[in-house]
Amino acid sequence: MTINTSQLKQKLEEELSVLEKDLKSVGRINPANPKDWEAVPPTKTLDESDPVDVADDIEEYEENTAVLKQLEIRYNEVQRALEKIKKGAYGKCEVCDKEIESERLLANPAASVCKTHINR
Ligand SMILES: [Zn+2]
């Protein structure tokens, strides 16, 4: 089975925009580092808010941080795959340099290693 790179590229671009939307819903771009995302820090303080609200705020921040971390990992994977397409290096295992199985790429266009090296 031959891989249709342009079709996979489209899939990756679609996923990237969905991920971007998700990232924006739980966080923001780190003002100090535009390549980094962060959850919006808790804004409620004990001085002006109910302690329960403050605790909720902190809990939400911690949840968002965890969600954000997962999204960010995926976002970087997808972006890296798109960069490889641009460079013409797409579909090669990063460990052994062999072609990644096409069914694997179809299931996950951002895959960066072959089946043998999934659990490296
Ligand atoms: Zn490999």
Side-chain angles (χ1 to χ4, degrees):
M1 190 170 26
T2 37
I3 310 165
N4 183 343
T5 310
S6 66
Q7 204 181 335
L8 292 180
K9 184 172 176 247
Q10 200 187 337
K11 258 176 100 174
L12 285 163
E13 279 167 349
E14 275 166 19
E15 190 177 351
L16 199 71
S17 72
V18 171
L19 284 164
E20 214 162 300
K21 222 183 281 167
D22 289 350
L23 279 163
K24 279 181 189 154
S25 73
V26 289
R28 63 182 187 194
I29 291 171
N30 182 348
N33 179 3
K35 285 199 153 178
D36 200 23
W37 289 82
E38 61 176 19
V40 180
T43 49
K44 293 190 174 113
T45 62
L46 278 172
D47 297 338
E48 47 192 58
S49 311
D50 195 283
V52 176
D53 285 346
V54 175
D56 279 353
D57 211 24
I58 292 170
E59 199 181 314
E60 195 187 313
Y61 172 68
E62 281 169 355
E63 270 172 31
N64 284 348
T65 302
V67 172
L68 202 78
K69 207 182 261 180
Q70 291 306 312
L71 287 171
E72 206 177 4
I73 290 170
R74 183 67 189 162
Y75 185 81
N76 289 336
E77 275 173 8
V78 171
Q79 220 169 24
R80 214 160 56 161
L82 281 166
E83 259 161 46
K84 281 192 208 159
I85 291 176
K86 232 188 278 173
K87 287 184 201 152
Y90 182 72
K92 289 235 163 78
C93 171
E94 285 183 358
V95 179
C96 66
D97 211 35
K98 281 188 187 140
E99 301 275 336
I100 298 172
E101 296 80 2
S102 51
E103 70 267 27
R104 184 160 150 66
L105 286 174
L106 288 172
N108 174 17
S112 62
V113 291
C114 72
K115 271 184 189 159
T116 316
H117 296 108
I118 293 173
N119 301 308
R120 59 182 161 143

